[in-house]
Amino acid sequence: MAAKDFALRATPAAAAVIERLRGTARKNYAAFEAELRKQGCRVAGYRLLGPEDGGYSDFCCRRLVDDWRAITTPACCGKGGWPSVGTVPGGRRG
Amino acid sequence: MSSGTASAQLRRRAALARLEAEELADAVSELRTISGSKSELEHALERVEVLSARVQKALDLPGGLSVAQAAERLEVSEPTVRKWLAEGLLERVEDHKPVEIAQRSVIDVERVLDTVRESYPARRWSEALAAFLHDRDLLGQEWAREGVEQLRRGELVER
């Protein structure tokens, strides 16, 4: 029996951006979403550090293309999860 | 002691005082997040906030910290401070020579240094600090903040 896909939820803001994605960004996001449904958070990218003390935050980040990033929570494939999609000025070092 | 030397020392002391005032403002902000606070606590907090604002206004001088001051505060060497300045981890006050460092950037780095020191060897501190600052900027983007707010309100749609 095939494993059941993970459920995926988005914030309305992220959903609106996702609909407007074009070209490689749209293609890569679609692939990312498909990976999330199959494998859950193991493909969510790198764990973001928290803004307070530099410890791990509740969020992960996956680069889509150029400055486009998708942010997810560790619970992105469960209740309360979300992806947020947007662009950043520059790439992460290190 | 020449008047120039006295003036420089005064500026150094004022720069340090401004650093302390900014930390006081941060401490007050954190107290605000305590749940179940009483009216007395609220009143006390308001007073501290007013005092903090006055201190910051009184010390609103253009000077930053010297490299030596920043190094002492962060418990690193002066070359490390200069390295972090060159890498953009610390912010320099523009048009000030010799180099002066913005107090806010020292506080930002100081806040994460404890975690960085616990989690990484010294040779990776710069890398870890850069990652932290990048991530902080990323989560501070308007689209990310909007997403977090919607998440907290439970506004989610099925994909």
Side-chain angles (χ1 to χ4, degrees):
Chain A
M1 190 174 89
K4 187 177 180 181
D5 283 355
F6 291 99
L8 189 65
R9 299 175 180 86
T11 60
V17 173
I18 291 165
E19 291 307 310
R20 293 198 299 270
L21 290 175
R22 293 291 179 269
T24 304
R26 184 182 186 89
K27 179 182 170 185
N28 288 358
Y29 179 78
F32 174 52
E33 193 171 295
E35 290 177 27
L36 276 177
R37 290 186 193 283
K38 292 290 183 188
Q39 303 181 61
C41 290
R42 72 180 64 178
V43 296
Y46 59 87
R47 188 86 174 265
L48 292 173
L49 300 175
E52 295 303 322
D53 61 1
Y56 284 121
S57 74
D58 292 336
F59 308 112
C60 289
C61 179
R62 170 81 172 255
R63 180 177 180 270
L64 299 177
V65 67
D66 298 330
D67 288 342
W68 285 100
R69 304 286 187 279
I71 296 179
T72 60
T73 69
C76 59
C77 38
K79 184 179 180 182
W82 64 299
S84 189
V85 182
T87 61
V88 293
R92 175 175 174 159
R93 287 189 289 166
Chain B
M1 182 185 296
S2 69
S3 61
T5 304
S7 175
Q9 288 184 348
L10 180 62
R11 290 187 64 215
R12 295 276 77 75
R13 290 177 62 179
L16 272 177
R18 193 170 152 206
L19 174 70
E20 302 295 353
E22 294 225 20
E23 286 206 356
L24 175 61
D26 284 352
V28 170
S29 297
E30 288 166 9
L31 282 174
R32 282 277 181 206
T33 64
I34 295 174
S35 60
S37 58
K38 299 176 181 177
S39 60
E40 290 87 357
L41 178 59
E42 283 292 321
H43 182 65
L45 281 173
E46 286 174 10
R47 289 189 63 192
V48 172
E49 283 175 339
V50 169
L51 283 171
S52 174
R54 286 178 180 171
V55 170
Q56 290 193 65
K57 186 177 179 182
L59 294 173
D60 190 18
L61 302 169
L65 298 177
S66 69
V67 170
Q69 283 178 319
E72 183 179 356
R73 182 74 180 209
L74 296 172
E75 298 178 357
V76 297
S77 67
E78 292 186 27
T80 296
V81 168
R82 294 187 188 281
K83 178 172 181 280
W84 287 352
L85 269 172
E87 292 174 343
L89 303 177
L90 289 169
E91 182 185 343
R92 133 177 225 170
V93 178
E94 289 185 11
D95 302 326
H96 279 230
K97 289 186 178 179
V99 171
E100 294 185 3
I101 304 161
Q103 287 89 340
R104 171 47 57 182
S105 71
V106 173
I107 290 175
D108 287 345
V109 168
E110 186 180 37
R111 279 186 155 195
V112 295
L113 259 183
D114 285 345
T115 302
V116 166
R117 283 180 166 125
E118 288 174 7
S119 307
Y120 300 92
R123 61 186 164 78
R124 293 193 62 199
W125 286 357
S126 293
E127 177 188 342
L129 280 172
F132 161 75
L133 293 173
H134 168 274
D135 293 353
R136 185 193 62 180
D137 290 345
L138 179 64
L139 291 173
Q141 298 282 317
E142 187 176 344
W143 58 269
R145 291 203 309 270
E146 184 181 14
V148 170
E149 287 303 314
Q150 290 180 341
L151 172 68
R152 286 176 179 156
R153 292 195 298 265
E155 297 173 7
L156 298 165
V157 296
E158 296 289 338
R159 292 291 304 160

